Amino acid sequence: MLSKASLLRGMLRSSELEFLMEAHDGLSAKIAEEAGFRGLWASGLAMSAALGVRDSNEASWTQILEVLEFMSDATRVPILLDGDTGYGNFNNARRLVRKLHQRGIAGVCIEDKLFPKSNSFLDEAKQPLADIDEFCGKIKAMQDSKHDTAFVVLARVEAFIAGWGLAEALRRAEAYRVAGADAVLIHSKKSTSLEIDAFMQEWAGRLPVVIVPTKYYSTPTDKFRDLGVSMVIWANHAIRASIAAMQSTTRRIFLDQSLANVESQIATIAEVFRLQGDDELQAAEKRYLPAAELRVNAIILAAAQGVRFGELTEAQPKALLKVNGKSILQTQVDHFRGIGVKDITVVRGFRKDLIEGDAFTTIDNDAFAETTELYSLHRALDAVRGTTLISYGDLVFKPYILNELLHDPNSVTIIADADFAGADSAADGAYHEWVVTDQPYSRRASYGFVQLRAVEERIREGCSGEFIGLLKVNEVGAGIVKQHLEALVLEPDFATMRMRHLLARILTTDTVAVKFIRGSWMDINSIVDLQRAEGF
C-alpha cells in the first residue's frame, strides 16, 4: 500500500491537473475527503484563524502539529502542510520534517520570507524575502532529514507577492530546484493570472508547479491545464465558508432568542456524530465493554398501514412514506440517535418485512388492522424500562423537542402543541387528542411544571393544546405505565383504546406533566399533510 507521501508525489507527477482542498481541523479534513478531494492543504491562515490568532506565526509550530495529528487521523488522503517559513532556520525546518513524518503528513511547503512571516495578501508595498542561499540550505536540510523518500518538500516563491517581478521569481525558482525542491509554488495576488502566465511560459516545465488562485479565481481552470500547472490549491475556502455560516447562524439565534428558524438550516446532531465516527465507537463498545442495560430507550409505534393514503400505502406502511427524501421512520430513528439514544424499538405491523435495519430492533403487531397505538405499546411493554421515549410512527418533528423531553425530571411527561388549541377536531377528519391542563400556555408555563387534567378526543372549552403523540417516562414512570397497561389489557375493548385512555388511567393515581411547544411538528394523516411536510 502506498504511503500518503507517495500518493502526494504521484499527484504532483500526474499528467492530469490535480487539486488540494483547504482544511484546518479533523472535521473539515474529513468533510473535504468525503467531497472527493484526493489531497488536502493544511492552511496556515485557516488553522491560525480557527485558533483565533493572526497568520503571523502566533500559533506555535507545536500547536500546528497537534492540529495536523487530528487531521491525519481523521483521513486517508495525503496532507500538504503550509509550513510558512519552516518556523525558523534550517535546524527548525529539519526537525519539523521529522515530526511531520511521525504524524503521517505527506509533505510541507515553505515560503521564502523571513520569520515571523506576514500573510501574502496583507496590503503591504513590499514584504522582505529570505536570502536565496539561506533558503536553499533550508531545502537541503529538509531533504536530508526525510525518512520516507517520497515525502514532498515544496518551495514557495514569493517574488511576485513582494513586488520583485518575473526575473526574480525565475531566479529563485531555479535556485530552489537545484537545491532539491520537489516542486515550486508560484504565488500571486493579482486579480488576473498574468503573472502566472508569464512564469509558466519561461519556466518551461523544469519542475512541477503549484498555484493558489485565491485572487484570480475567475480564471477558467482549463487555462491552468493549458499552461501546464501540476496542482491547484483551493487555499482558504472551507474556513471562510464556516465563518460566514457561523456569523449568520449565531446572529439569527441572538436576534430570535430561539432555535426554531435555524434548526432546519444547519447540520443535524446525527450528522455530527456520523462525521465523528460514532458508529465505530458503538461497535467497539459492544465488543469491549461488558453488557449493561442502556439508560435511555425509545419506542416508535409504526404498525399502521395508513389507508387514507390510497395507493401510496398499498404496498408499504405509512411510516415508510418519505418526507424530503427520507422516510418518516428513518427520520425519527436519526433524531433519537442524534441525542444519544442507542436502544430503539420499532413496533411494526403492515408489511413488516419492509421495516428492518441495524439501527433498531423490531416487535410485531400482527393485529395492526384491528388495533391502535396503545395495543402496539403493550406489545413493546418489555422495552419500557428506565428512561423511555415513546413516539407515534407518523410524526415529523424538530429534534430539539426530544432534548426537552430527555431533560424533563417528571415521571411521565407528554408534549402538547399550544398553537393547536381551539382547532376543530372534526374539520380534517383526523383523530386528535386534546389536552386540558391546570394552567394555559404562557411563557412562564413553558419553563415550569404544568399538570395534565384530561385528554379528550372532542374539543371542549378550556382546552390548552394538542397531544402530539410524543411522551417520556423515567424509571418510576416506566413502572406506572406498565402497571396501568397491564390493568387496561384486561378490559374487553382494549384493542381499540387510544393513548388518551392510558393517560386518563394514570391520572387516577399519579400526575402527568405537560411540556408545551408551539408548532415544530406535523402528524402525517393525509396526502395533503404529506405535501405540506415537504416544506417542513
Side-chain angles (χ1 to χ4, degrees):
M1 182 177 178
L2 291 177
S3 68
K4 290 182 178 181
S6 296
L7 293 174
L8 180 62
R9 184 170 289 271
M11 292 176 70
L12 280 171
R13 294 178 174 179
S14 171
S15 59
E16 300 293 329
L17 180 63
E18 299 284 352
F19 302 92
L20 299 184
M21 182 65 196
E22 172 261 308
H24 50 273
D25 56 19
L27 184 63
S28 59
K30 189 163 188 176
I31 289 171
E33 180 184 32
E34 288 189 349
F37 284 97
R38 300 202 304 135
L40 304 175
W41 170 250
S43 163
L45 167 63
M47 288 187 287
S48 296
L51 293 170
V53 298
R54 289 173 287 254
D55 185 25
S56 301
N57 295 125
E58 292 185 3
S60 71
W61 72 280
T62 55
Q63 289 173 316
I64 295 299
L65 281 176
E66 185 174 3
V67 175
L68 287 170
E69 185 169 3
F70 283 106
M71 292 172 62
S72 182
D73 287 347
T75 56
R76 293 169 294 178
V77 296
I79 299 172
L80 175 63
L81 169 64
D82 174 9
D84 294 339
T85 63
Y87 306 106
N89 67 7
F90 78 93
N91 190 45
N92 303 92
R94 65 181 181 175
R95 180 169 172 78
L96 172 66
V97 169
R98 293 195 294 268
K99 294 302 178 182
L100 293 177
H101 276 73
Q102 293 171 8
R103 288 155 178 80
I105 304 304
V108 60
C109 174
I110 60 169
E111 58 191 85
D112 53 357
K113 287 183 184 171
L114 300 180
F115 179 86
K117 56 79 63 86
S118 297
N119 187 276
S120 299
F121 296 135
L122 290 174
D123 293 329
E124 297 179 9
K126 279 199 174 183
Q127 297 193 14
L129 300 185
D131 176 80
I132 291 179
D133 291 337
E134 186 272 338
F135 194 75
C136 287
K138 192 180 295 186
I139 293 172
K140 292 175 183 177
M142 296 172 78
Q143 291 287 19
D144 289 344
S145 301
K146 296 193 308 187
H147 302 305
D148 183 348
T149 57
F151 183 87
V152 172
V153 176
L154 193 152
R156 174 165 149 180
V157 180
E158 293 284 290
F160 287 143
I161 298 296
W164 289 19
L166 176 62
E168 183 66 14
L170 289 165
R171 186 168 78 95
R172 286 175 173 269
E174 175 61 15
Y176 305 156
R177 182 190 71 81
V178 172
D182 297 304
V184 294
L185 188 158
I186 187 69
H187 208 15
S188 173
K189 60 181 178 181
K190 299 290 187 183
S191 61
T192 69
S193 65
L194 290 177
E195 290 181 328
I196 305 300
D197 300 350
F199 179 87
M200 293 301 297
Q201 289 172 9
E202 295 293 334
W203 184 245
R206 284 176 259 176
L207 205 64
V209 175
V210 180
I211 63 172
V212 183
T214 301
K215 291 293 187 179
Y216 48 99
Y217 57 84
S218 60
T219 303
T221 303
D222 280 342
K223 183 173 184 179
F224 304 144
R225 292 187 174 94
D226 295 339
L227 288 172
V229 171
S230 295
M231 182 176 288
V232 173
I233 296 174
W234 312 120
N236 46 52
H237 297 78
I239 190 70
R240 289 162 59 190
S242 64
I243 289 170
M246 286 190 289
Q247 287 173 331
S248 174
T249 300
T250 54
R251 183 63 178 168
R252 184 75 272 160
I253 294 172
F254 175 78
L255 293 174
D256 293 350
Q257 297 184 358
S258 169
L259 302 177
N261 290 325
V262 302
E263 184 65 33
S264 63
Q265 307 299 317
I266 60 178
T268 63
I269 293 295
E271 175 64 2
V272 176
F273 289 160
R274 185 191 70 80
L275 289 167
Q276 291 174 312
D278 186 63
D279 285 348
E280 188 280 332
L281 177 59
Q282 291 185 39
E285 286 176 347
K286 291 179 181 178
R287 182 175 182 180
Y288 300 119
L289 291 179
E293 185 172 273
L294 296 173
R295 293 185 302 161
V296 182
N297 316 287
I299 300 172
I300 303 174
L301 308 175
Q305 176 182 0
V307 294
R308 299 179 66 193
F309 292 87
E311 64 182 15
L312 291 179
T313 52
E314 285 181 355
Q316 67 174 351
K318 178 165 60 168
L320 294 187
L321 291 173
K322 290 187 176 181
V323 175
N324 294 320
K326 185 187 293 187
S327 73
I328 300 171
L329 176 61
Q330 187 60 55
T331 298
Q332 284 202 27
V333 169
D334 288 347
H335 287 348
F336 284 121
R337 289 175 63 84
I339 62 167
V341 178
K342 301 175 183 178
D343 191 350
I344 302 172
T345 300
V346 177
V347 182
R348 60 186 185 175
F350 178 70
R351 287 305 307 270
K352 62 184 181 182
D353 57 303
L354 299 179
I355 296 181
E356 57 184 8
D358 295 332
F360 54 83
T361 57
T362 58
I363 292 176
D364 296 340
N365 174 8
D366 292 326
F368 63 89
E370 298 83 31
T371 60
T372 66
E373 74 281 348
L374 193 61
Y375 188 94
S376 290
L377 179 59
H378 185 262
R379 294 287 302 153
L381 201 56
D382 288 341
V384 181
R385 59 185 185 274
T387 298
T388 305
L389 300 165
I390 302 167
S391 174
Y392 290 179
D394 60 356
L395 301 181
V396 290
F397 51 81
K398 298 292 179 68
Y400 80 86
I401 299 174
L402 295 181
N403 277 314
E404 292 281 332
L405 272 179
L406 196 59
H407 294 97
D408 184 87
N410 296 289
S411 298
V412 181
T413 306
I414 69 171
I415 295 290
D417 183 7
D419 279 352
F420 278 69
D424 182 3
S425 64
D428 58 2
Y431 174 77
H432 296 273
E433 293 174 305
W434 307 102
V435 302
V436 178
T437 59
D438 65 342
Q439 56 183 302
Y441 170 81
S442 67
R443 186 178 180 86
R444 181 185 299 273
S446 64
Y447 295 108
F449 175 75
V450 178
Q451 184 173 339
L452 181 68
R453 293 298 190 197
V455 182
E456 300 289 345
E457 180 181 357
R458 296 294 177 183
I459 191 66
R460 71 179 191 182
E461 187 174 351
C463 171
S464 303
E466 180 181 6
F467 170 52
I468 74 168
L470 196 57
L471 66 150
K472 182 224 71 175
V473 297
N474 63 14
E475 186 170 359
V476 174
I480 294 171
V481 165
K482 287 184 175 182
Q483 172 193 343
H484 290 293
L485 261 180
E486 293 291 17
L488 285 174
V489 77
L490 301 177
E491 300 289 335
D493 58 346
F494 175 71
T496 58
M497 285 185 179
R498 311 302 296 258
M499 192 66 74
R500 63 185 177 87
H501 294 98
L502 172 62
L503 294 172
R505 181 73 180 234
I506 293 173
L507 289 177
T508 63
T509 59
D510 298 276
T511 60
V512 175
V514 177
K515 289 198 74 70
F516 283 117
I517 60 172
R518 301 192 68 181
S520 298
W521 75 289
M522 286 185 64
D523 56 341
I524 309 301
N525 287 315
S526 66
I527 293 177
V528 173
D529 289 340
L530 196 61
Q531 293 169 337
R532 287 175 52 226
E534 289 296 323
F536 179 73

